[in-house]
């Protein structure tokens, strides 16, 4: 039974990893670009959030690490916009927020709200896990950007200073943050409940 569980986990990680690659490299699938010079709205966080929900902290962190590594590689080989080129060539900005997306989703769903059981409670719990994962990514990208670029804020946002860079970044990423959190709040319960049911049946 334990060997079967390990095999199933490895298979699921492989499927989710392949999905991240597909999202990262197929145009308008993993990154939805509305304006050419504006940071794209991501959908890859949904895959990492689901990894955290299905596979707890280790699985969520592993998929987040994979997403971060892909982000770092793409920033050097095929940046989609000037901000991506500037920010995501930094390994900390590219990787750490992505890892913590999966961790945050797993903690909310499997640990902090684990007593919430039943259909409606599970739906709410999945939605909150999705929102937590999405906002974790955006807020940490902003925080690390301020940390690394405060002394040269003008490179990130023309006319910015160390004093106002964080607020300008919050304003710049506000649309992305709201869109990604809204997607996660809707998609995580829809897919999460179905995948959790499949996973439970597979264990029997």
């Amino acid at each position: 039974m334990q060997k079967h569980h390990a095999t199933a986990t490895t298979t699921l990680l492989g499927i989710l990893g392949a999905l991240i690659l597909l999202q990262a490299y197929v145009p308008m699938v993993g990154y939805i670009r509305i304006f050419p010079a504006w940071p794209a709205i991501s959908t890859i966080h949904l895959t990492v959030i689901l990894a955290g929900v299905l596979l707890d902290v280790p699985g969520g962190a592993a998929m987040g690490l994979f997403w971060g590594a892909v982000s770092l590689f793409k920033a050097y080989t095929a940046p989609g916009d000037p901000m991506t080129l500037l920010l995501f060539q930094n390994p900390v900005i590219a990787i750490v927020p992505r890892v913590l997306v999966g961790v945050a989703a797993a903690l909310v769903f499997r640990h902090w709200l684990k007593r919430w059981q039943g259909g409606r409670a599970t739906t709410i719990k999945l939605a909150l896990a999705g929102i937590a994962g999405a906002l974790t990514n955006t807020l940490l990208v902003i925080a690390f950007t301020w940390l690394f670029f405060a002394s040269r804020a003008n490179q990130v946002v023309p006319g910015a200073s160390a004093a106002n860079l964080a607020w300008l970044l919050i304003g710049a990423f506000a649309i992305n943050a709201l869109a990604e959190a809204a997607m996660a709040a809707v998609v995580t319960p829809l897919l999460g409940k179905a995948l959790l049911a499949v996973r439970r049946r597979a264990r029997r």
Side-chain angles (χ1 to χ4, degrees):
M1 180 65 72
Q2 188 173 2
K3 184 178 180 181
H4 173 73
H5 177 66
T7 301
T9 298
T10 302
T11 301
L12 183 55
L13 285 170
I15 292 170
L16 293 173
L19 182 57
I20 287 174
L21 285 175
L22 180 70
Q23 289 174 293
Y25 284 97
V26 175
M28 300 297 287
V29 174
Y31 295 101
I32 301 170
R33 193 168 301 283
I34 301 174
F35 304 109
W38 197 264
I41 295 172
S42 173
T43 64
I44 303 180
H45 67 295
L46 301 172
T47 304
V48 178
I49 288 165
L50 288 170
V53 166
L54 295 169
L55 300 171
D56 210 344
V57 171
M63 285 296 96
L65 177 62
F66 185 64
W67 177 24
V70 172
S71 297
L72 184 65
F73 181 76
K74 280 199 71 178
Y76 276 98
T77 59
D81 56 76
M83 191 170 286
T84 296
L85 176 64
L86 179 65
L87 302 186
F88 293 103
Q89 287 187 358
N90 182 310
V92 175
I93 298 174
I95 293 174
V96 175
R98 272 67 161 141
V99 171
L100 293 178
V101 167
V103 172
L107 288 175
V108 169
F109 182 77
R110 290 185 165 268
H111 299 275
W112 297 341
L113 303 179
K114 66 180 178 180
R115 293 184 180 179
W116 293 18
Q117 302 294 331
R120 183 174 295 180
T122 300
T123 300
I124 295 171
K125 187 165 61 168
L126 284 165
L128 291 175
I131 292 169
L135 293 180
T136 293
N137 181 55
T138 303
L139 293 175
L140 285 178
V141 167
I142 291 171
F144 285 130
T145 299
W146 181 85
L147 181 66
F148 286 105
F149 289 94
S151 61
R152 43 199 174 110
N154 193 57
Q155 286 184 257
V156 181
V157 181
S161 65
N164 65 13
L165 178 61
W167 292 109
L168 291 172
L169 287 170
I170 290 171
F173 282 100
I175 294 174
N176 293 47
L178 291 173
E180 290 170 4
M183 277 194 294
V186 173
V187 174
T188 306
L190 286 175
L191 294 182
K193 291 184 80 169
L195 292 171
L196 285 167
V198 170
R199 189 163 172 78
R200 280 194 296 270
R201 286 196 293 270
R203 287 178 175 177
R204 292 174 184 172

